[in-house]
Amino acid sequence: EFLNISDLLNIPVLEVLPNIFQTYIPNFYSSKYSQMLKSFVKNKIFRYIFDTIIIINAFFILFDIKGVEWGFLSLFIIEIILKIYAFGFYMFIRKMWNVFDVVVIGAAFFISIAEVIRQDEFDSEIILDITLVLRVLRIVKIFHSFNRFKTILNTIMHILPSMLTYASVLFVFFYFYAVIGIEAFHGKIEYYGYDAENLSPDQLYCGNPNLMDSEFYNLHYCANNFNNILRAFVTLFELLVVNQWHVLAEGFQLAVDSKWTRVYFISFHCFAVIIILNIFTAFVLEIFILEYSFDRGTLETTLETKINEMGLGLGSRPSRKQDQPDSDRKSNV
């Protein structure tokens, strides 16, 4: 166990900050009914109740059952208020999931208020969709309660800073190929729509007669071109996710009337898809394995269990095991 001392060093030690309710209303906050309310909020049953409400709310959203939005929103606001009352504001905001709840429910609340004030039909539908999406996001919090899902979510959180470096490399690579594509294919393919009756002969087949009856034109890929930097980035992204990349390569080959265009698309596929994406995939797998292997050490788990039994952990109560005789404790050890 001494070899697991590094696990102990990773255990966060939080200072218990004063509760504003205990400071300003000490008599009421220490009363019998207040203690019962705080014990209930700190109990796991309280969390299970609101996890169930979140799932029920998701089903209501799934089946488009209207008229209960404000009811669920009110329950979630009451949940946040009770947690702040039981744990104190400073201890409440120290947990990122509580901040997540405040942001999601707060945004949904203010958006709902704006919807009622404006009474705009078009905006109302958009605002309602945004509100529903924000409330469904709380299901992520339930997943974090399960160890398997928690490992996945922790992995995602850990790779987010590295994603900036990866995105920068990918952006430079995209920009390099976009400039080459604009120089090589600019004006070869234009987007004029696909209504042949309203188009002039020069505008048919993406403005290029070589694409007549081609799979590129029949699948309506004329908007995928290299006429500007934005369209070039969109086209390269479709190539990155291997979305009909052979059709795009064939279309530009016909448009330019040269088989040398294959070098451009095959080289992008080799570097971007086979090398860069595989490096990123290997990186994610390695982070996941490390997170899964070293998520919790044996000593850390044992120590946290003992702390919770003593009632010293955040939101924990003393266990009845403390009332056992010393002989029983020795046998348990």
Side-chain angles (χ1 to χ4, degrees), residues 17 93 133 227 256:
L17 299 175
I93 62 175
V133 170
N227 294 336
V256 179

Side-chain angles (χ1 to χ4, degrees), residues 106-116 127-128 130-131 134:
F109 176 76
F110 286 111
I111 288 176
S112 300
I113 293 294
E115 175 192 2
V116 173
I127 290 173
L128 180 60
I130 296 174
T131 306
L134 288 174

Side-chain angles (χ1 to χ4, degrees), residues 174-189:
F174 264 49
Y175 186 79
F176 174 76
Y177 267 86
V179 171
I180 297 176
I182 291 173
E183 291 295 328
F185 309 120
H186 184 272
K188 299 297 182 180
I189 295 176

Side-chain angles (χ1 to χ4, degrees), residues 266-284:
I266 292 176
S267 64
F268 180 84
H269 182 82
C270 291
F271 286 111
V273 179
I274 297 179
I275 297 178
I276 295 181
L277 281 186
N278 281 335
I279 290 174
F280 177 70
T281 303
F283 171 72
V284 173

Side-chain angles (χ1 to χ4, degrees), residues 161-175:
S162 301
M163 284 289 292
L164 296 176
T165 303
Y166 176 78
S168 301
V169 174
L170 196 61
F171 175 80
V172 172
F173 190 79
F174 264 49
Y175 186 79

Side-chain angles (χ1 to χ4, degrees), residues 1 16 37 46 64 67 84 86-87 94 111 150 156 172 182 191 193 202 217 227-228 233 271 292 297:
E1 290 185 351
V16 179
L37 177 61
F46 180 82
D64 198 19
I84 294 176
F87 296 105
R94 278 187 170 180
I111 288 176
K150 184 178 180 179
I156 295 174
V172 172
I182 291 173
Y191 176 72
D202 295 337
Y217 176 77
N227 294 336
N228 56 58
F233 268 62
F271 286 111
Y292 185 80

